[in-house]
Amino acid sequence: MKRAERIKHILNNFDKESYRKNLIHWFKEEQRILPWRENQDPYRVWVSEIMLQQTRVDTVIPYFNHFMDKFPTPDALAQADEQEVLKAWEGLGYYSRARNLQNAVREVVSEYEGVVPADAEELGNLKGVGPYTRGAILSIAYDIPEPAVDGNVMRVLSRILRVEDDISKQSTRKLFEGLVKELISDEDPSSFNQGLMELGALVCTPKTPSCMLCPVQEHCRAFDEGVETELPVKASKKKQKKSPYLLLLVQNEKGDVLIEQRPDTGLLASLWQYPMVPLEDIGHEAVANWFYGEYGLKVEVGESVDRIKHVFSHLIWEMEVIKVTVKEGTLDHERAIFIAPEDMEDYPFPVSHQKAHPHINR
Protein backbone atom coordinates (compact mmCIF):
# COMPACT_ATOMS: atom_id res chain seq x y z
CA MET A 1 0.00 0.00 0.00
CA LYS A 2 1.43 3.40 -0.98
CA ARG A 3 2.04 5.94 1.79
CA ALA A 4 -0.81 8.25 0.70
CA GLU A 5 -3.27 5.33 0.70
CA ARG A 6 -1.96 4.15 4.05
CA ILE A 7 -2.46 7.61 5.59
CA LYS A 8 -6.00 7.74 4.24
CA HIS A 9 -6.67 4.25 5.63
CA ILE A 10 -5.28 5.12 9.11
CA LEU A 11 -7.33 8.32 9.33
CA ASN A 12 -10.53 6.68 8.12
CA ASN A 13 -13.27 7.29 10.72
CA PHE A 14 -10.94 9.48 12.82
CA ASP A 15 -12.53 12.78 13.94
CA LYS A 16 -9.69 15.11 12.96
CA GLU A 17 -11.51 18.34 13.77
CA SER A 18 -12.54 17.28 17.28
CA TYR A 19 -9.06 15.89 18.02
CA ARG A 20 -7.45 19.16 16.85
CA LYS A 21 -9.81 21.27 18.93
CA ASN A 22 -9.36 19.21 22.12
CA LEU A 23 -5.55 19.17 21.82
CA ILE A 24 -5.21 22.91 21.18
CA HIS A 25 -7.65 23.84 23.95
CA TRP A 26 -5.74 21.65 26.44
CA PHE A 27 -2.39 23.11 25.39
CA LYS A 28 -3.57 26.69 25.81
CA GLU A 29 -4.95 25.91 29.26
CA GLU A 30 -2.20 23.65 30.61
CA GLN A 31 1.07 24.53 28.85
CA ARG A 32 4.14 24.98 31.02
CA ILE A 33 5.61 28.47 31.31
CA LEU A 34 8.96 28.13 29.54
CA PRO A 35 11.39 30.93 28.63
CA TRP A 36 11.35 30.20 24.89
CA ARG A 37 7.56 30.52 24.85
CA GLU A 38 7.66 34.19 25.89
CA ASN A 39 7.35 35.19 22.24
CA GLN A 40 7.56 33.71 18.74
CA ASP A 41 11.07 34.96 17.93
CA PRO A 42 12.35 32.35 15.42
CA TYR A 43 15.94 32.61 16.71
CA ARG A 44 14.83 31.80 20.28
CA VAL A 45 12.65 28.94 19.01
CA TRP A 46 15.60 27.61 17.00
CA VAL A 47 18.06 27.73 19.92
CA SER A 48 15.54 26.05 22.25
CA GLU A 49 14.74 23.25 19.79
CA ILE A 50 18.43 22.47 19.25
CA MET A 51 19.07 22.42 23.01
CA LEU A 52 16.03 20.23 23.66
CA GLN A 53 17.27 17.48 21.33
CA GLN A 54 18.36 14.56 23.57
CA THR A 55 18.05 16.79 26.69
CA ARG A 56 15.37 17.26 29.35
CA VAL A 57 13.46 20.55 29.64
CA ASP A 58 14.50 21.15 33.28
CA THR A 59 18.15 20.81 32.28
CA VAL A 60 17.80 23.12 29.29
CA ILE A 61 16.10 26.10 31.02
CA PRO A 62 19.19 27.58 32.78
CA TYR A 63 21.39 26.87 29.74
CA PHE A 64 18.89 28.58 27.44
CA ASN A 65 18.65 31.66 29.67
CA HIS A 66 22.45 31.94 29.96
CA PHE A 67 22.92 31.37 26.21
CA MET A 68 20.37 34.05 25.29
CA ASP A 69 22.00 36.50 27.72
CA LYS A 70 25.36 35.93 26.05
CA PHE A 71 24.11 35.66 22.45
CA PRO A 72 20.75 37.48 22.33
CA THR A 73 20.64 37.85 18.53
CA PRO A 74 21.80 35.92 15.46
CA ASP A 75 24.48 38.64 14.97
CA ALA A 76 25.84 38.09 18.49
CA LEU A 77 26.13 34.33 17.99
CA ALA A 78 27.59 34.66 14.50
CA GLN A 79 30.37 36.94 15.73
CA ALA A 80 31.24 34.92 18.85
CA ASP A 81 34.37 32.80 19.15
CA GLU A 82 33.58 29.07 18.85
CA GLN A 83 35.29 28.30 22.16
CA GLU A 84 33.03 30.85 23.89
CA VAL A 85 29.99 29.13 22.38
CA LEU A 86 31.22 25.68 23.44
CA LYS A 87 31.84 27.01 26.96
CA ALA A 88 28.23 28.26 27.13
CA TRP A 89 27.14 24.79 25.96
CA GLU A 90 29.42 22.98 28.43
CA GLY A 91 27.52 20.19 30.19
CA LEU A 92 24.67 19.92 27.65
CA GLY A 93 26.53 17.32 25.59
CA TYR A 94 26.18 16.53 21.87
CA TYR A 95 28.47 19.47 21.15
CA SER A 96 28.16 19.20 17.38
CA ARG A 97 24.71 20.78 17.94
CA ALA A 98 26.38 23.99 19.15
CA ARG A 99 28.87 24.09 16.28
CA ASN A 100 26.20 23.41 13.65
CA LEU A 101 23.92 26.03 15.21
CA GLN A 102 26.63 28.68 15.09
CA ASN A 103 27.61 27.81 11.50
CA ALA A 104 23.97 27.95 10.40
CA VAL A 105 23.36 31.25 12.20
CA ARG A 106 26.45 32.70 10.47
CA GLU A 107 24.84 31.72 7.16
CA VAL A 108 21.56 33.38 8.22
CA VAL A 109 23.48 36.58 9.02
CA SER A 110 25.48 36.58 5.77
CA GLU A 111 22.78 35.32 3.37
CA TYR A 112 19.49 36.47 4.95
CA GLU A 113 20.49 39.68 6.78
CA GLY A 114 20.11 37.98 10.15
CA VAL A 115 16.47 36.97 9.61
CA VAL A 116 15.72 33.25 10.05
CA PRO A 117 14.15 32.08 6.74
CA ALA A 118 10.43 31.36 6.71
CA ASP A 119 10.87 29.23 3.59
CA ALA A 120 10.99 25.45 4.18
CA GLU A 121 13.68 24.78 1.56
CA GLU A 122 15.97 27.64 2.62
CA LEU A 123 15.60 26.73 6.28
CA GLY A 124 16.17 23.03 5.64
CA ASN A 125 19.40 23.75 3.79
CA LEU A 126 21.01 25.28 6.88
CA LYS A 127 23.57 23.17 8.76
CA GLY A 128 22.01 20.99 11.46
CA VAL A 129 18.41 21.93 10.59
CA GLY A 130 16.67 18.61 9.94
CA PRO A 131 12.98 18.04 9.17
CA TYR A 132 11.95 18.22 12.85
CA THR A 133 13.75 21.50 13.64
CA ARG A 134 12.57 23.02 10.37
CA GLY A 135 8.94 22.08 11.13
CA ALA A 136 9.20 23.38 14.69
CA ILE A 137 10.57 26.79 13.62
CA LEU A 138 8.10 27.22 10.76
CA SER A 139 5.04 26.21 12.81
CA ILE A 140 5.92 27.75 16.19
CA ALA A 141 7.56 30.99 15.05
CA TYR A 142 5.86 31.61 11.70
CA ASP A 143 2.49 29.83 12.09
CA ILE A 144 3.11 27.78 8.94
CA PRO A 145 1.39 24.34 9.05
CA GLU A 146 4.48 22.12 8.80
CA PRO A 147 4.91 18.81 10.66
CA ALA A 148 7.51 18.64 13.45
CA VAL A 149 7.92 14.93 14.13
CA ASP A 150 10.33 13.58 16.75
CA GLY A 151 10.25 10.50 18.99
CA ASN A 152 7.81 12.19 21.36
CA VAL A 153 5.32 12.92 18.60
CA MET A 154 5.66 9.44 17.09
CA ARG A 155 4.97 7.88 20.49
CA VAL A 156 1.82 9.97 20.98
CA LEU A 157 0.44 9.37 17.50
CA SER A 158 1.35 5.67 17.42
CA ARG A 159 -0.98 5.31 20.43
CA ILE A 160 -3.71 7.71 19.31
CA LEU A 161 -3.93 6.15 15.84
CA ARG A 162 -2.67 2.67 16.81
CA VAL A 163 0.19 2.58 14.32
CA GLU A 164 2.41 -0.46 14.90
CA ASP A 165 5.29 0.43 12.55
CA ASP A 166 8.83 0.48 14.01
CA ILE A 167 9.54 4.13 14.92
CA SER A 168 13.30 3.62 14.57
CA LYS A 169 12.82 3.34 10.79
CA GLN A 170 13.02 6.39 8.53
CA SER A 171 9.98 5.19 6.57
CA THR A 172 7.90 5.36 9.78
CA ARG A 173 8.99 8.94 10.43
CA LYS A 174 7.87 9.81 6.87
CA LEU A 175 4.53 8.12 7.55
CA PHE A 176 4.00 10.21 10.71
CA GLU A 177 5.01 13.41 8.89
CA GLY A 178 2.29 12.60 6.36
CA LEU A 179 -0.23 11.96 9.13
CA VAL A 180 0.59 15.25 10.88
CA LYS A 181 0.15 17.11 7.58
CA GLU A 182 -3.42 15.80 7.51
CA LEU A 183 -4.08 16.46 11.19
CA ILE A 184 -2.38 19.83 11.78
CA SER A 185 -4.46 22.95 12.31
CA ASP A 186 -4.16 25.55 9.55
CA GLU A 187 -5.47 28.23 11.92
CA ASP A 188 -3.07 27.51 14.82
CA PRO A 189 -0.27 25.15 13.75
CA SER A 190 1.95 26.54 16.54
CA SER A 191 -0.37 25.37 19.33
CA PHE A 192 -1.09 22.08 17.54
CA ASN A 193 2.56 21.05 17.22
CA GLN A 194 3.46 22.31 20.69
CA GLY A 195 0.39 20.54 22.03
CA LEU A 196 1.59 17.23 20.61
CA MET A 197 5.05 17.80 22.14
CA GLU A 198 3.57 18.83 25.50
CA LEU A 199 1.23 15.84 25.54
CA GLY A 200 4.20 13.52 25.03
CA ALA A 201 6.21 15.24 27.76
CA LEU A 202 3.50 15.47 30.45
CA VAL A 203 0.82 12.86 29.80
CA CYS A 204 1.62 10.32 27.07
CA THR A 205 4.97 9.41 28.62
CA PRO A 206 7.09 6.43 27.49
CA LYS A 207 6.46 3.81 30.19
CA THR A 208 3.37 4.77 32.20
CA PRO A 209 1.11 7.12 30.25
CA SER A 210 -1.41 9.05 32.40
CA CYS A 211 -4.40 8.10 30.27
CA MET A 212 -6.94 9.28 32.84
CA LEU A 213 -5.58 12.83 32.49
CA CYS A 214 -5.36 12.77 28.71
CA PRO A 215 -7.34 15.50 26.93
CA VAL A 216 -7.66 13.37 23.78
CA GLN A 217 -8.34 10.04 25.46
CA GLU A 218 -11.68 9.69 23.66
CA HIS A 219 -9.78 9.66 20.34
CA CYS A 220 -7.09 7.16 21.41
CA ARG A 221 -7.38 3.79 19.73
CA ALA A 222 -4.61 2.21 21.81
CA PHE A 223 -6.34 3.20 25.07
CA ASP A 224 -9.67 1.97 23.74
CA GLU A 225 -8.11 -1.42 23.05
CA GLY A 226 -5.93 -1.50 26.19
CA VAL A 227 -2.58 -1.63 24.34
CA GLU A 228 -1.21 1.85 25.12
CA THR A 229 1.84 0.47 26.99
CA GLU A 230 2.73 -1.81 24.07
CA LEU A 231 3.21 1.15 21.74
CA PRO A 232 5.25 2.54 20.11
CA VAL A 233 7.06 -0.36 18.47
CA LYS A 234 10.80 0.25 18.45
CA ALA A 235 13.64 -2.12 17.55
CA SER A 236 16.20 -2.52 20.33
CA LYS A 237 19.47 -0.64 19.92
CA LYS A 238 22.84 -2.27 19.41
CA LYS A 239 24.77 -2.78 22.64
CA GLN A 240 27.13 0.07 23.48
CA LYS A 241 30.86 -0.64 23.20
CA LYS A 242 32.85 -0.26 26.45
CA SER A 243 36.20 1.56 26.15
CA PRO A 244 38.57 1.52 29.17
CA TYR A 245 40.96 4.46 29.71
CA LEU A 246 43.28 5.96 32.25
CA LEU A 247 42.52 9.66 32.68
CA LEU A 248 45.75 11.40 33.70
CA LEU A 249 45.78 14.45 35.98
CA VAL A 250 49.26 15.73 35.10
CA GLN A 251 50.76 18.60 37.13
CA ASN A 252 54.23 20.14 36.97
CA GLU A 253 56.38 21.59 39.76
CA LYS A 254 54.44 24.91 39.57
CA GLY A 255 51.13 23.08 39.97
CA ASP A 256 50.04 23.84 36.41
CA VAL A 257 47.77 21.25 34.81
CA LEU A 258 48.25 19.60 31.42
CA ILE A 259 45.17 19.75 29.18
CA GLU A 260 44.73 19.07 25.49
CA GLN A 261 42.25 20.02 22.82
CA ARG A 262 40.40 17.23 21.02
CA PRO A 263 40.47 17.12 17.19
CA ASP A 264 38.31 19.59 15.25
CA THR A 265 36.03 16.80 14.01
CA GLY A 266 34.45 13.72 15.57
CA LEU A 267 33.32 12.99 19.12
CA LEU A 268 33.46 16.05 21.45
CA ALA A 269 35.27 18.00 18.71
CA SER A 270 37.38 21.01 19.84
CA LEU A 271 36.63 20.50 23.56
CA TRP A 272 39.44 20.30 26.11
CA GLN A 273 40.29 17.26 28.18
CA TYR A 274 42.91 15.59 30.34
CA PRO A 275 45.20 13.10 28.57
CA MET A 276 43.60 9.67 28.14
CA VAL A 277 45.49 6.40 27.88
CA PRO A 278 43.64 3.74 25.83
CA LEU A 279 43.93 0.62 28.00
CA GLU A 280 42.96 -1.62 25.08
CA ASP A 281 46.37 -0.77 23.58
CA ILE A 282 48.58 0.30 26.52
CA GLY A 283 49.04 -1.56 29.82
CA HIS A 284 49.34 0.21 33.19
CA GLU A 285 53.04 -0.60 33.40
CA ALA A 286 53.76 1.12 30.06
CA VAL A 287 52.02 4.43 30.84
CA ALA A 288 55.19 6.43 31.65
CA ASN A 289 56.92 5.31 28.44
CA TRP A 290 53.79 5.97 26.36
CA PHE A 291 53.44 9.42 27.91
CA TYR A 292 57.07 10.32 27.16
CA GLY A 293 56.56 9.27 23.54
CA GLU A 294 53.34 11.28 23.17
CA TYR A 295 54.17 14.42 25.16
CA GLY A 296 57.99 14.54 25.56
CA LEU A 297 57.73 14.59 29.37
CA LYS A 298 59.16 12.17 31.92
CA VAL A 299 56.61 11.58 34.63
CA GLU A 300 55.96 9.71 37.83
CA VAL A 301 52.65 7.85 37.76
CA GLY A 302 50.92 8.17 41.11
CA GLU A 303 47.82 6.84 42.80
CA SER A 304 44.35 6.16 41.48
CA VAL A 305 41.91 8.70 42.93
CA ASP A 306 38.59 8.00 41.21
CA ARG A 307 36.69 5.96 38.63
CA ILE A 308 34.41 7.69 36.14
CA LYS A 309 31.88 6.04 33.89
CA HIS A 310 30.39 8.13 31.10
CA VAL A 311 27.70 6.82 28.78
CA PHE A 312 27.37 8.11 25.21
CA SER A 313 24.63 7.00 22.83
CA HIS A 314 26.93 4.49 21.13
CA LEU A 315 29.75 3.79 23.60
CA ILE A 316 30.74 3.84 27.27
CA TRP A 317 33.96 5.36 28.62
CA GLU A 318 35.22 3.65 31.76
CA MET A 319 37.99 5.86 33.13
CA GLU A 320 40.33 5.36 36.07
CA VAL A 321 41.62 8.75 37.25
CA ILE A 322 45.36 8.75 38.02
CA LYS A 323 47.51 11.54 39.46
CA VAL A 324 50.75 12.13 37.56
CA THR A 325 53.73 14.37 38.40
CA VAL A 326 56.12 15.82 35.79
CA LYS A 327 59.78 15.09 36.59
CA GLU A 328 61.59 16.56 33.58
CA GLY A 329 61.36 17.40 29.90
CA THR A 330 59.74 20.00 27.64
CA LEU A 331 56.14 19.61 26.47
CA ASP A 332 56.07 18.51 22.83
CA HIS A 333 52.47 18.10 21.69
CA GLU A 334 50.75 20.46 19.27
CA ARG A 335 47.32 20.36 20.95
CA ALA A 336 48.41 20.28 24.63
CA ILE A 337 49.20 23.12 27.04
CA PHE A 338 49.87 23.70 30.73
CA ILE A 339 47.44 26.05 32.49
CA ALA A 340 47.05 27.29 36.06
CA PRO A 341 44.25 25.46 37.93
CA GLU A 342 42.37 28.76 38.44
CA ASP A 343 42.18 29.19 34.64
CA MET A 344 40.29 25.91 34.10
CA GLU A 345 36.98 27.80 33.94
CA ASP A 346 38.08 29.47 30.69
CA TYR A 347 38.15 26.18 28.77
CA PRO A 348 35.13 24.08 27.73
CA PHE A 349 35.41 20.49 29.01
CA PRO A 350 33.01 17.59 28.39
CA VAL A 351 31.04 16.44 31.44
CA SER A 352 33.08 13.23 31.65
CA HIS A 353 36.26 15.25 32.33
CA GLN A 354 34.59 17.88 34.50
CA LYS A 355 34.00 15.05 36.98
CA ALA A 356 37.79 14.86 37.48
CA HIS A 357 38.23 18.60 38.23
CA PRO A 358 37.90 18.23 42.04
CA HIS A 359 41.01 16.02 42.14
CA ILE A 360 43.33 18.73 40.83
CA ASN A 361 45.79 20.06 43.45
CA ARG A 362 45.05 23.78 43.79
Side-chain angles (χ1 to χ4, degrees), residues 138-184:
L138 291 175
S139 61
I140 297 169
Y142 290 120
D143 284 311
I144 295 169
E146 276 283 321
V149 173
D150 65 355
N152 237 357
V153 169
M154 288 194 285
R155 179 176 67 255
V156 170
L157 288 180
S158 70
R159 290 169 176 167
I160 297 288
L161 300 170
R162 195 172 177 180
V163 175
E164 297 183 0
D165 298 44
D166 180 356
I167 65 166
S168 65
K169 291 183 176 176
Q170 188 61 27
S171 58
T172 306
R173 183 179 293 270
K174 294 279 186 193
L175 172 66
F176 279 112
E177 284 173 355
L179 287 164
V180 172
K181 277 182 181 173
E182 293 296 317
L183 292 170
I184 197 168

Side-chain angles (χ1 to χ4, degrees), residues 27-161:
F27 175 71
K28 289 187 168 177
E29 292 287 318
E30 302 293 336
Q31 64 174 298
R32 290 168 292 178
I33 297 168
L34 300 171
W36 46 88
R37 287 180 177 163
E38 287 173 7
N39 55 47
Q40 287 182 285
D41 177 355
Y43 172 63
R44 289 172 68 88
V45 172
W46 186 3
V47 171
S48 71
E49 289 300 338
I50 298 297
M51 285 189 169
L52 286 163
Q53 291 168 15
Q54 313 283 345
T55 312
R56 291 166 56 87
V57 166
D58 291 349
T59 303
V60 166
I61 290 171
Y63 278 95
F64 177 82
N65 289 331
H66 174 62
F67 198 89
M68 296 311 298
D69 285 344
K70 280 188 78 69
F71 316 112
T73 63
D75 277 320
L77 183 57
Q79 290 167 24
D81 181 81
E82 186 189 77
Q83 287 287 297
E84 193 183 358
V85 175
L86 290 174
K87 185 68 185 171
W89 205 273
E90 185 182 59
L92 267 181
Y94 300 94
Y95 293 90
S96 59
R97 295 181 298 174
R99 280 186 293 273
N100 288 341
L101 175 63
Q102 187 180 31
N103 288 334
V105 166
R106 282 174 174 161
E107 192 176 337
V108 165
V109 169
S110 63
E111 300 295 320
Y112 303 104
E113 299 180 347
V115 178
V116 179
D119 176 82
E121 189 176 348
E122 290 175 348
L123 192 55
N125 285 335
L126 296 173
K127 184 93 171 169
V129 177
Y132 169 77
T133 306
R134 180 185 66 201
I137 294 169
L138 291 175
S139 61
I140 297 169
Y142 290 120
D143 284 311
I144 295 169
E146 276 283 321
V149 173
D150 65 355
N152 237 357
V153 169
M154 288 194 285
R155 179 176 67 255
V156 170
L157 288 180
S158 70
R159 290 169 176 167
I160 297 288
L161 300 170

Side-chain angles (χ1 to χ4, degrees), residues 321-333:
V321 182
I322 306 282
K323 289 205 165 191
V324 174
T325 307
V326 177
K327 290 302 177 187
E328 60 179 281
T330 304
L331 179 62
D332 181 18
H333 190 291

Side-chain angles (χ1 to χ4, degrees), residues 288-332:
N289 284 339
W290 174 86
F291 194 85
Y292 180 69
E294 291 286 321
Y295 298 90
L297 297 170
K298 291 188 176 175
V299 296
E300 182 180 306
V301 179
E303 61 180 351
S304 171
V305 293
D306 202 353
R307 288 184 179 273
I308 295 169
K309 180 178 177 181
H310 192 77
V311 180
F312 297 94
S313 56
H314 59 299
L315 71 112
I316 297 171
W317 278 356
E318 294 180 329
M319 301 183 293
E320 184 179 358
V321 182
I322 306 282
K323 289 205 165 191
V324 174
T325 307
V326 177
K327 290 302 177 187
E328 60 179 281
T330 304
L331 179 62
D332 181 18

Side-chain angles (χ1 to χ4, degrees), residues 206-222:
K207 292 200 167 69
T208 50
S210 304
C211 298
M212 294 305 143
L213 303 175
C214 182
V216 289
Q217 185 210 91
E218 66 184 276
H219 304 281
C220 185
R221 293 170 179 168

